[in-house]
Amino acid sequence: MPPTDVDRAVEAAELDASLRRTSDEIERVTSESSTASTSSSESAEHPHHQGATTAPITTSLSRVPTQRDLARHETELSRIHTARSQHSGTVGRDTKSIRSTKSRKPLPNFGAGKPYPPPLPNQEDYVVEFDGPDDPLHAQNWPLRKKMVTAAILGFTTMTAAFGSSIFSAATVAVAREYHVSSEVSLLGVSLYVLGFATGPTFWAPLSELKGRRLPLVTSMFGFAIFSIANATAKDLQTILITRFFAGFFGACPLAVVAAVFSDMFDNRTRGIAVTVFSMTVFTGPLLAPFIGGFIVENQSLGWRWTSYIVSFMGFLCFGLNLIFLRETYPPAILVTKAAELRRRTLNWGIHAKQEEIELDLRELVSKNFSRPMRLLFTEPIVTLLSIYMAFIYGLLYLFLTAYPFVFQGVHGMSPGIGGLTFFGMITGQILAGVAILLQQPWYMRKLAANNGIPIPEWRLPPVVAGGAAFAGGLFWFGWSGYRADIHWIVPTLSGILTGFGLASIFLQSLNYLVDAYLMFAASAIAANTFLRSLAGAGFPLFARYMFEGMGIQWASTLLGCVAAVMVPIPIIFYLYGHKIRAKSAYAPDYADAQRSTAPAPEDEEGGAGTSTEEEKEVLGAAATRSVANGSVARLSRDARSAV
């Protein structure tokens, strides 16, 4: 099988890491035979590294490696490997498309009668890297206080975007009354905002790969605040709807990028905790807004427009905090800044970062951010069924914005503000789910260690099964306890504990399952999932009123509960047969085959110009397994988790 460009990049990263020697790295202690074989092979393949081979064990060494040295050495290898793998997978790095683009254009003259200068003697010598595993420029080496401040700012930023999606639901009745339209038309303000969530990541995610995390976060929060205040001052309905869509489009950036920032800052031991806490802000934000919006709408001196004014103020605060305090965390972008400083101060214009070699290609941009996710959505059973399941759950999250007022305002006669407080039942359930998942981390790490660091994706699914059963039970509980006024209001409120627990359990672990199952294609799998579920989140509120009015609260909830119960077997099927389904997949890496193919393939000059998807799967599967063995699988798939 001819190796692809991605395979060559991964192999080059590993080879470069194995040969790398700095003053901070350790000496390898090897036997005479291993040293001789290593030296001869490296001398044959890489003559310029002949002086980098290690001495036999009988030779005196500068120092004996300690356990900390070994850990630091693994960190260095992992970071170099990850940076090169990120570079090879970044939009615009497809070398075949770059070659074809260059071949169609003749080179211009150098100018002033000058000949072309000779190429750099060894381009890799001019590529900047991090200065060992303890380089303070790397975000994982930041002081804990700086990490916590950054995490708090970005958590608030994410919650603001999610908060803005649902606070408008409290204003829909007032908007319908003011502009003489039906409540369904005014609900488009919620639906179009969530539709912006579906389209936004296709722009913000690749931008964060090309220009770093800080630029899109700062830019998007400014746009978010501007469109929110434009919504508050809108003179007609169409302006309200248009500005809500673009507020959602800009607000999608934190949802697509902040998880990646957390992956930049936290290592494998703490990344799971950080991403789980981030995910909680995504799901609790929409449930914190209704009671605040309700109290605002009730206040005659404020009115519905203040639901958007409040969001715009929060957006401007996020913009200011990000502009002043947020520092770049994306390693390739940090190296670009470092290279620019070195060029300026040394006047050596050959110095550059790997990220600066990227040429943006529109065809590749469309392929990686639209066509490939759609292929996964319609051809991969795991992606298709899990996306349908999660779309249903996500749609119900926004459907509850209509269902809860039916019960607590319609049946129990509460005001919009007081009725919105009942969402705290769901918030409590989500917090319990997050705590339960965090408590499972030691169990998961023990299984991972017992399997030589190779993750089995199906280990993620038991909480999804439990969450699915809890979610279906919560729907039945809500419907049959909420349709009668003689049943105390606390009873349907407590049903939210089950629905909230189920919602968070299903989402958190299903997303992790998709990441583990598709690894190098995980970003596309998550993008497909995000697209479908955002469509459901936009559509479900539009028919909620008709369903609950026509069927009644108890029977509408029963229908939804039955659908949820029918979907519970989906994760069970994948838990039992997921490994067989993945073995037949064109995209999911086969860990067993990858382990058998860890030896590098022979070089081929054509470099896989005609490589099929099946071949690409095998190559990336092997690369993924090697990354797992190096402890860097989570970072290779870091952007996959950003679409939460």
Side-chain angles (χ1 to χ4, degrees):
M1 181 194 70
T4 63
D5 295 323
V6 174
D7 192 37
R8 284 200 180 95
V10 172
E11 293 295 341
E14 291 180 340
L15 184 60
D16 179 74
S18 67
L19 297 173
R20 183 179 172 87
R21 288 292 178 271
T22 67
S23 59
D24 290 332
E25 291 179 344
I26 65 171
E27 296 282 341
R28 280 191 308 181
V29 181
T30 58
S31 66
E32 288 192 47
S33 59
S34 65
T35 302
S37 61
T38 303
S39 177
S40 61
S41 62
E42 289 179 353
S43 299
E45 296 181 14
H46 303 277
H48 61 281
H49 283 296
Q50 289 180 14
T53 55
T54 57
I57 192 170
T58 55
T59 306
S60 61
L61 299 176
S62 59
R63 60 190 179 96
V64 177
T66 64
Q67 188 64 34
R68 170 169 168 77
D69 290 330
L70 294 174
R72 292 171 70 247
H73 188 59
E74 288 179 0
T75 303
E76 174 72 359
L77 298 183
S78 172
R79 287 180 180 171
I80 295 172
H81 176 86
T82 301
R84 300 299 173 85
S85 301
Q86 283 176 331
H87 177 64
S88 64
T90 301
V91 171
R93 180 54 188 155
D94 189 337
T95 54
K96 288 178 289 189
S97 64
I98 293 173
R99 284 197 303 267
S100 64
T101 301
K102 289 181 177 179
S103 64
R104 289 194 296 266
K105 286 185 177 182
L107 285 173
N109 293 328
F110 199 69
K114 297 180 181 179
Y116 282 101
L120 296 176
N122 183 8
Q123 186 171 337
E124 279 297 308
D125 292 341
Y126 292 82
V127 175
V128 296
E129 303 280 6
F130 286 106
D131 188 20
D134 297 324
D135 191 335
L137 288 178
H138 200 289
Q140 288 192 10
N141 296 323
W142 287 356
L144 181 60
R145 179 183 176 186
K146 184 175 182 179
K147 291 182 181 180
M148 291 297 101
V149 170
T150 302
I153 292 173
L154 294 178
F156 176 69
T157 300
T158 305
M159 192 196 70
T160 297
F163 181 90
S165 68
S166 60
I167 192 171
F168 190 81
S169 65
T172 54
V173 174
V175 170
R177 187 186 312 117
E178 180 173 335
Y179 292 101
H180 310 291
V181 295
S182 67
S183 58
E184 287 72 32
V185 173
S186 61
L187 267 173
L188 285 173
V190 176
S191 297
L192 289 173
Y193 189 103
V194 180
L195 195 61
F197 278 177
T199 56
T202 61
F203 174 76
W204 300 114
L207 182 62
S208 75
E209 290 182 351
L210 293 169
K211 300 298 183 182
R213 318 295 191 195
R214 186 175 183 272
L215 176 65
L217 283 169
V218 172
T219 304
S220 66
M221 291 318 295
F222 181 75
F224 172 82
I226 290 295
F227 279 102
S228 295
I229 205 166
N231 179 262
T233 58
K235 61 181 178 61
D236 50 38
L237 183 63
Q238 54 266 38
T239 304
I240 292 174
L241 300 182
I242 292 172
T243 53
R244 283 290 292 176
F245 170 79
F246 282 104
F249 179 87
F250 282 93
C253 179
L255 276 67
V257 175
V258 168
V261 176
F262 281 18
S263 295
D264 294 336
M265 293 193 299
F266 298 100
D267 59 18
N268 290 334
R269 294 170 298 173
T270 55
R271 184 180 296 115
I273 299 174
V275 172
T276 299
V277 173
F278 155 76
S279 301
M280 300 310 299
T281 65
V282 175
F283 297 125
T284 57
L287 302 178
L288 288 171
F291 81 92
I292 296 176
F295 284 123
I296 290 175
V297 172
E298 289 176 23
N299 192 314
Q300 297 297 324
S301 61
L302 294 178
W304 70 267
R305 293 182 184 273
W306 272 90
T307 60
S308 294
Y309 277 124
I310 292 293
V311 174
S312 70
F313 297 158
M314 295 170 67
F316 279 119
L317 177 59
C318 292
F319 166 70
L321 291 173
N322 288 320
L323 181 65
I324 297 171
F325 297 107
L326 182 62
R327 295 295 175 261
E328 185 57 66
T329 64
Y330 190 45
I334 294 174
L335 292 177
V336 168
T337 303
K338 179 180 178 179
E341 181 182 3
L342 290 175
R343 283 196 301 268
R344 185 176 66 254
R345 298 177 66 175
T346 65
L347 301 182
N348 186 338
W349 307 115
I351 296 174
H352 68 284
K354 274 288 181 183
Q355 190 79 353
E356 295 177 288
E357 297 177 5
I358 291 173
E359 295 184 19
L360 186 61
D361 182 79
L362 182 60
R363 182 183 304 173
E364 187 187 359
L365 186 69
V366 172
S367 172
K368 285 190 175 181
N369 290 278
F370 186 75
S371 64
R372 184 189 291 167
M374 292 302 102
R375 290 199 303 270
L376 284 166
L377 182 60
F378 292 111
T379 63
E380 290 290 307
I382 291 176
V383 179
T384 302
L385 292 178
L386 270 185
S387 296
I388 292 173
Y389 191 14
M390 295 171 69
F392 174 73
I393 302 297
Y394 194 72
L396 289 189
L397 173 64
Y398 285 93
L399 180 140
F400 283 135
L401 300 178
T402 299
Y404 267 54
F406 264 98
V407 171
F408 297 105
Q409 297 177 37
V411 175
H412 293 282
M414 297 181 179
S415 65
I418 298 297
L421 291 171
T422 57
F423 281 103
F424 274 92
M426 290 185 65
I427 294 174
T428 302
Q430 292 180 357
I431 294 174
L432 291 176
V435 171
I437 290 173
L438 291 178
L439 292 177
Q440 292 173 1
Q441 290 302 308
W443 168 84
Y444 181 81
M445 296 306 295
R446 286 194 299 270
K447 289 182 72 70
L448 196 62
N451 200 41
N452 298 320
I454 307 297
I456 302 301
E458 284 70 33
W459 290 344
R460 303 284 192 179
L461 292 177
V464 181
V465 178
F471 189 81
L475 288 174
F476 289 118
W477 181 351
F478 174 77
W480 289 96
S481 64
Y483 77 104
R484 291 167 51 182
D486 59 337
I487 299 177
H488 196 276
W489 59 266
I490 196 63
V491 179
T493 299
L494 292 177
S495 71
I497 296 177
L498 281 185
T499 52
F501 178 87
L503 187 149
S505 298
I506 293 168
F507 259 88
L508 291 177
Q509 293 299 74
S510 293
L511 290 170
N512 284 331
Y513 177 64
L514 287 176
V515 170
D516 289 346
Y518 288 91
L519 288 178
M520 299 294 280
F521 291 112
S524 295
I526 298 298
N529 179 278
T530 302
F531 178 77
L532 187 62
R533 79 170 191 250
S534 295
L535 291 181
F540 273 44
L542 298 178
F543 64 77
R545 179 175 296 276
Y546 290 111
M547 185 172 71
F548 278 85
E549 285 180 348
M551 299 180 65
I553 294 170
Q554 70 274 35
W555 293 112
S557 299
T558 299
L559 174 62
L560 296 174
C562 289
V563 175
V566 167
M567 292 185 173
V568 170
I570 291 176
I572 298 176
I573 293 172
F574 292 148
Y575 183 77
L576 297 175
Y577 305 106
H579 63 287
K580 295 182 180 180
I581 298 173
R582 288 187 287 107
K584 299 178 181 178
S585 169
Y587 294 94
D590 189 329
Y591 288 101
D593 290 343
Q595 285 177 300
R596 291 192 294 269
S597 61
T598 52
E603 291 291 337
D604 183 0
E605 290 185 2
E606 292 303 314
T611 303
S612 66
T613 303
E614 196 65 39
E615 291 171 334
E616 187 178 8
K617 168 199 169 183
E618 295 175 12
V619 171
L620 294 178
T625 301
R626 290 191 293 270
S627 345
V628 173
N630 286 339
S632 61
V633 62
R635 298 188 64 198
L636 283 171
S637 303
R638 67 202 315 162
D639 290 329
R641 300 179 190 271
S642 67
V644 173

